[in-house]
Amino acid sequence: DESIRGDHLDINGYSRPTTPYLRSLLATEQGAHNFGVSVAGATCIYPSNALMLTGVQPGSNDFELTKYYPTVFQYAKAMGYKTYYMDAQTNSLWNGLTDSDMLFIDVWLRKKDLGDDIQSDFRAADRISEIVAASRGNFIVLNKRGVHFLYENSYPKEMTVWPPLPGNYANNPDLVKNY
């Protein structure tokens, strides 16, 4: 994930139970895998995605980077890979990607293709497994749905750790920011 410290997840040894749902998935045979602690390019989605797409250190106007530098999709196409861009968050191009990037993306799966519920990331993972099992030479980028506003719609209700959520925080996001 681009905006969380991996060492603050209990599945990576953190002392507080911060990821009970992930822990429960790892305990099943569903194929969940913990790749351990990794480092994000930034603490926010915009510079992190700009860095992942271009390899260029983000700064101001992060999404402008894709106008001036080639993206990973251009490199993957040049190397002969079949390219997939999966986005379980939106139905439109974002993160700096534009219509011109579609020249380098063979398959684009969106929220409307993957669903708009807590299972969408799992459907994306299943699709990736199918692609990888059926062929070689694929380059796949997934923008997972993850946990975004409204948070309580992003995981099973029984996995709530810190209830209750403040009322109407969608209109006042400062109520749920961790300063």
Side-chain angles (χ1 to χ4, degrees):
D1 195 294
E2 83 285 337
S3 57
I4 189 168
R5 286 180 48 176
D7 63 338
H8 280 221
L9 305 176
D10 68 21
I11 60 172
N12 291 331
Y14 192 61
S15 60
R16 291 187 347 200
T18 55
T19 52
Y21 185 58
L22 291 177
R23 195 173 353 97
S24 72
L25 289 177
L26 289 170
T28 68
E29 296 295 322
Q30 294 178 353
H33 182 79
N34 179 9
F35 289 98
V37 177
S38 61
V39 176
T43 59
C44 176
I45 195 168
Y46 301 117
S48 291
N49 279 327
L51 176 63
M52 287 187 284
L53 287 172
T54 64
V56 176
Q57 179 66 38
S60 60
N61 298 322
D62 298 318
F63 289 166
E64 297 291 311
L65 292 175
T66 59
K67 291 181 181 177
Y68 306 109
Y69 297 97
T71 68
V72 292
F73 292 109
Q74 291 168 319
Y75 289 112
K77 284 301 290 180
M79 296 300 297
Y81 289 97
K82 182 170 183 177
T83 57
Y84 294 82
Y85 178 55
M86 298 182 183
D87 191 339
Q89 286 187 42
T90 69
N91 288 312
S92 58
L93 289 172
W94 67 299
N95 290 338
L97 293 175
T98 65
D99 289 335
S100 62
D101 292 296
M102 293 308 294
L103 295 171
F104 307 100
I105 298 172
D106 297 312
V107 178
W108 179 24
L109 297 176
R110 301 165 248 206
K111 181 169 73 171
K112 68 179 185 177
D113 304 308
L114 299 168
D116 188 18
D117 57 36
I118 62 173
Q119 297 299 317
S120 60
D121 289 340
F122 295 105
R123 284 189 289 279
D126 289 342
R127 183 71 179 112
I128 291 170
S129 292
E130 292 167 6
I131 293 166
V132 171
S135 60
R136 298 205 183 285
N138 300 297
F139 180 80
I140 305 169
V141 171
L142 169 62
N143 230 0
K144 63 184 185 55
R145 181 174 191 260
V147 179
H148 297 89
F149 292 128
L150 296 168
Y151 296 116
E152 63 271 20
N153 297 326
S154 297
Y155 53 85
K157 300 274 185 251
E158 65 273 11
M159 302 309 279
T160 300
V161 176
W162 294 290
L165 290 169
N168 202 20
Y169 71 87
N171 293 326
N172 190 1
D174 285 342
L175 292 174
V176 292
K177 286 186 180 173
N178 188 5
Y179 292 101

